[in-house]
Each structure stands twice: as structure tokens, then as C-alpha cells.
Amino acid sequence: MFANYLIGLREGLEASLVVCILIAYLVKTDRRDALKPVWIGIAVAVALALGFGFALEFGSQELTFKAQEALGGSLSILAVGLVTWMVFWMRRTARHLRAELHGKLDAALRMGTGALVATAFLAVGREGLETALFVWTSVRASGDGTQAPLVGVLLGLLTAVVLGHLFYRGAVRINLSTFFTWTGAMLVVVAAGVLAYGFHDLQEADFLPGLTDKAFDVSAAIPPDSWYGTLLKGVLNFQPDPTVLQVTVWSLYLVPTLALFLAPSRSAGPGVKAAAPLREDA
């Protein structure tokens, strides 16, 4: 549940910050007339993300077992690729996100209502689609037959919305650079588990060999139905009897990716000390 909460919090907070920056800039520049098109674009983006998530969940139920495993495995790999790109992109551009969005919004204001809707839609839609895909694959990987993974995601998204509102009101000041670094590192660990599970799905679909070639089996020491087995499964997507391919993929992804992500950036200047209040009309 914690891993899914982290996904909802991290992805949701990015979208919340984008929304706060867009709204605060329009309020600051006395362009409240442009708020409606922006909210329309945001609403369409959220609806698209929800529709995409429902399509993944209910569309996959009509497939055969092997087709479900092939689809789940392929989308897991795609989701990990997108999330990996996202955490590195945010690490590189977080300090310049506000200026980038302001520039796009200025251009959209000159072009008219349609451009405003499109700008808000694109700014939030990318985050929404990435979130829907990664949440679906992560919930599928860590699912234990309960609603806990989905509840974790929803709680994370709710927390992100509350934090976004507090940022806008200027009630919360945190070091966003540090926040995104730590949550990004934890998300890389979660992604490694999703990636390994995705390869296991492809093995079950007979797309890849080695399904019976186990790297180890600690089921006796860590029963999957025990509280600690469930905890490890929910947080790290831990499997007590992974295949050799799963362990290999997990290691080859996690070690270099985490090392690169945590390595000091040569182009980065001093870290952001604190997030400035996003409500700029005060």
C-alpha cells in the first residue's frame, strides 16, 4: 500500500504544482478571464486519464490469460520507462518548471481560448496518462486481492491535492528539490519491482523462457500471506521465489539507475532552499 501511496503522492503533486503555477500566474497578471479555459483543459486531461485507466482495467479482463499476461508485462515495461524518464526530467527541470510554464501560458494567451485549453490539457494530461499507466501496472504487480493498493493510490492523490492547495495559499514551504530527489529515488526502487514483475508476466505468457528457473525460494522463511510478506510485496513488489531473469533484470535496472539518479548534477547550481508561495496575487 505504501508504494502505491508514494506513486499517487509523487505523480499527483507534480500535476498539482502545474495547476497551481498556471492558476497563480493568471491571477497575478489579472487574466482571470482565462481561468475558465484553463480549468476546462485540466478537466479534460483528468477525464482522459481516468478513461485510460478504466480502459486498461476493464479492457484487459476480456482477454485470455496469456494475452492478459503479455499485455500486463509489456505495459509494465513501458510504464517503468516513462516513470524513469519522468523522475530524471523532474530532477533536471524542477527549478525551471515555473518559468517554462509561464512562457507557454504567455504564448497561449496571445493565441486565444483554444490555445489556453490545449496548454492546460497538455501540461496536466501527460502527468495524468503516466500516472494512470504506472498506477495500473503497480497495482497489478502488488495486488493481493484486496482494495489496499487502490486505496493507497487514492490517499496519495488526495494528499497531493491538499498539498497543492496549501502551496497555492502559501501555507506550506518545503524544499521541493529534496522532496523530488527522495521520492524519485524511492520510485526507482518501486519501478524496479514493477519491471521484474513485468518480465515475469512475459514469462507466464510464454514470450520469454525460464519460468521454472528459480533464482531462489524463501517462501518458507517469508510466506507470501504473512504480514511481513505482504508488507514487502506491497512496498517493494518482493517475490519470495523469483526467476533468474527477474533477479537479473531487477539488478541491472536498479543499481545503475539509482546511481545515476543520486549522482550530483554537474549543471545544477545550489539546491532550491524552499518553495515560494504559489499564490502571487498577495
Side-chain angles (χ1 to χ4, degrees):
M1 181 174 176
F2 173 75
N4 295 288
Y5 174 83
L6 173 65
I7 294 169
L9 175 62
R10 165 76 190 224
E11 299 290 319
L13 188 57
E14 286 186 25
S16 293
L17 288 175
V18 168
V19 171
C20 288
I21 290 170
L22 293 176
I23 300 302
Y25 185 64
L26 291 176
V27 171
K28 177 186 177 182
T29 56
D30 198 25
R31 289 300 309 268
R32 294 176 183 270
D33 58 301
L35 288 175
K36 184 176 179 179
V38 167
W39 280 117
I40 291 174
I42 292 169
V44 173
V46 171
L48 178 63
L50 290 174
F52 182 53
F54 278 113
L56 288 173
E57 176 62 23
F58 295 106
S60 63
Q61 294 179 4
E62 304 299 322
L63 302 174
T64 63
F65 173 76
K66 286 192 174 183
Q68 286 184 14
E69 297 303 297
L71 176 65
S74 301
L75 291 180
S76 293
I77 295 172
L78 175 61
V80 169
L82 289 173
V83 167
T84 304
W85 173 84
M86 177 270 296
V87 295
F88 277 94
W89 176 84
M90 181 56 74
R91 177 178 182 268
R92 185 177 65 254
T93 63
R95 292 176 301 144
H96 312 292
L97 182 62
R98 183 187 300 240
E100 180 180 332
L101 288 173
H102 285 180
K104 291 180 179 179
L105 202 53
D106 282 335
L109 285 168
R110 292 192 293 269
M111 295 175 66
T113 301
L116 283 171
V117 173
T119 299
F121 171 77
L122 293 175
V124 178
R126 179 181 63 83
E127 301 290 346
L129 291 176
E130 285 181 359
T131 302
L133 178 57
F134 195 57
V135 164
W136 183 78
T137 55
S138 180
V139 168
R140 188 173 182 273
S142 62
D144 54 3
T146 70
Q147 298 299 317
L150 184 57
V151 170
V153 171
L154 293 176
L155 288 175
L157 291 173
L158 179 61
T159 304
V161 171
V162 172
L163 285 175
H165 177 73
L166 293 176
F167 280 138
Y168 178 78
R169 293 296 177 184
V172 172
R173 298 172 64 89
I174 66 172
N175 189 318
L176 288 178
S177 178
T178 300
F179 173 84
F180 282 120
T181 296
W182 281 102
T183 57
M186 288 188 285
L187 209 55
V188 168
V189 176
V190 173
V194 173
L195 184 64
Y197 191 88
F199 272 81
H200 183 264
D201 279 350
L202 294 179
Q203 287 180 308
E204 290 193 325
D206 290 335
F207 272 52
L208 294 174
L211 182 60
T212 60
D213 188 9
K214 303 295 184 181
F216 54 81
D217 189 347
V218 293
S219 300
I222 309 177
D225 57 351
S226 63
W227 69 267
Y228 46 92
T230 302
L231 180 63
L232 289 173
K233 177 71 173 177
V235 176
L236 302 175
N237 289 315
F238 174 78
Q239 184 177 333
D241 57 343
T243 65
V244 172
L245 179 60
Q246 282 183 273
V247 174
T248 302
V249 167
W250 184 87
S251 302
L252 290 177
Y253 169 83
L254 180 63
V255 175
T257 303
L258 201 56
L260 286 172
F261 182 75
L262 295 177
S265 175
R266 294 180 180 179
S267 60
V272 179
K273 295 299 181 184
L278 292 176
R279 189 179 183 183
E280 303 182 52
D281 60 330

